[in-house]
Amino acid sequence: MEFLTHTLLPDDEIKDIQQRLLAPDLPWRDGRLTAGDQAALVKQNHQLAPDSELTISITKRISYALTNDPLIKSFSLIRKVHSLLISRSSSGDSYGWHVDNPFSRYGRRDLSFTVFLSDHDSYQGGSLSIQSGGETTTEFRLAAGQVVVYPSSTLHCVQPVESGARFVCVGWIESYVKSLEDRSLLFNLDAGARGMLARYGRSDELDLIFQSYTNAVRRLSS
């Protein structure tokens, strides 16, 4: 399982964030300032100044939600959530095909995530496209408050926004387990064991499965 989509923020928090992002005179900056040399050639959007009060408020809330969500924790095996930024793409903006840098000064980039902050009907276009399995492309245009988590090693892009404005929060996760294949194996094992616990209750056999899962995480962690 390469991608995870999930509802992260409740409606009332999303509405508050949306209103605050539409305030006048916010410190929007050229998005190319945070891109690598190659990515900057294909990036056209704006990002909220990272030290602004609004950026800090939103990214703290999203970081907290990510690190406390059981499904995302199981999928990502989060060591650290870092380098979050708030992006605005207006009509004509896009972010061409690129791969994220493996590191930032704040940590390793094992998984990338995009939290959609705009309602569907407030903009057109702007899908997040991710390549997987050769030339297979999956597109994501999620409801406000939903997140997609995906490997930072994949090629991905943001399709041109045709109208309106697309607001998202993007960031990265450093996982305890570097390998995508190992994380997928552990996630499936954890999900299967939790499903059996919910359906049949605790058993000695299930205790052995949870023991094996825990020790596998310990062994595969970096």
Side-chain angles (χ1 to χ4, degrees):
M1 184 174 181
E2 290 191 51
F3 315 123
L4 176 70
T5 60
H6 186 55
T7 298
L8 184 68
L9 300 176
D11 288 343
D12 58 337
E13 290 193 31
I14 280 295
K15 296 303 181 187
D16 177 65
I17 289 172
Q18 289 174 340
Q19 288 183 341
R20 296 171 72 186
L21 286 173
L22 294 177
D25 302 322
L26 291 177
W28 293 102
R29 306 286 187 257
D30 190 329
R32 291 173 293 183
L33 295 174
T34 60
D37 292 341
Q38 295 301 314
L41 299 175
V42 295
K43 186 176 185 180
Q44 182 176 337
N45 65 7
H46 286 81
Q47 290 163 189
L48 204 55
D51 57 351
S52 75
E53 180 181 351
L54 183 53
T55 299
I56 293 170
S57 173
I58 295 174
T59 57
K60 277 186 175 180
R61 176 65 190 95
I62 289 174
S63 292
Y64 179 85
L66 288 166
T67 54
N68 286 276
D69 186 283
L71 183 63
I72 293 174
K73 287 168 63 178
S74 177
F75 180 78
S76 305
L77 295 167
I78 298 170
R79 183 198 296 269
K80 183 193 304 182
V81 177
H82 63 90
S83 308
L84 285 76
L85 53 87
I86 307 299
S87 170
R88 182 193 71 195
S89 299
S90 302
S91 181
D93 288 348
S94 64
Y95 196 168
W97 289 105
H98 66 284
V99 62
D100 293 338
N101 289 333
F103 298 96
S104 78
R105 60 177 174 166
Y106 301 107
R108 195 175 65 230
R109 291 172 168 175
D110 297 315
L111 293 154
S112 305
F113 63 84
T114 297
V115 182
F116 289 77
L117 303 176
S118 299
D119 293 328
H120 275 146
D121 58 2
S122 66
Y123 69 104
Q124 298 296 320
S127 295
L128 171 65
S129 299
I130 305 174
Q131 280 192 8
S132 63
E135 297 184 357
T136 302
T137 301
T138 306
E139 295 196 356
F140 299 91
R141 193 174 183 275
L142 303 181
Q146 292 190 318
V147 62
V148 56
V149 185
Y150 57 97
S152 298
S153 56
T154 56
L155 277 170
H156 55 281
C157 75
V158 177
Q159 301 292 342
V161 174
E162 299 167 7
S163 63
R166 172 189 186 267
F167 293 93
V168 296
C169 174
V170 303
W172 290 269
I173 294 170
E174 179 177 325
S175 175
Y176 281 107
V177 176
K178 288 184 182 181
S179 165
L180 166 62
E181 291 79 10
D182 289 343
R183 288 196 306 270
S184 180
L185 182 153
L186 292 167
F187 177 65
N188 289 339
L189 183 59
D190 187 40
R194 291 179 183 276
M196 291 176 64
L197 178 64
R199 179 173 295 185
Y200 303 112
R202 185 205 158 273
S203 67
D204 292 341
E205 293 80 7
L206 196 54
D207 285 346
L208 290 175
I209 295 175
F210 278 120
Q211 180 189 28
S212 296
Y213 167 80
T214 300
N215 289 331
V217 172
R218 182 176 289 113
R219 182 167 185 170
L220 296 171
S221 295
S222 56

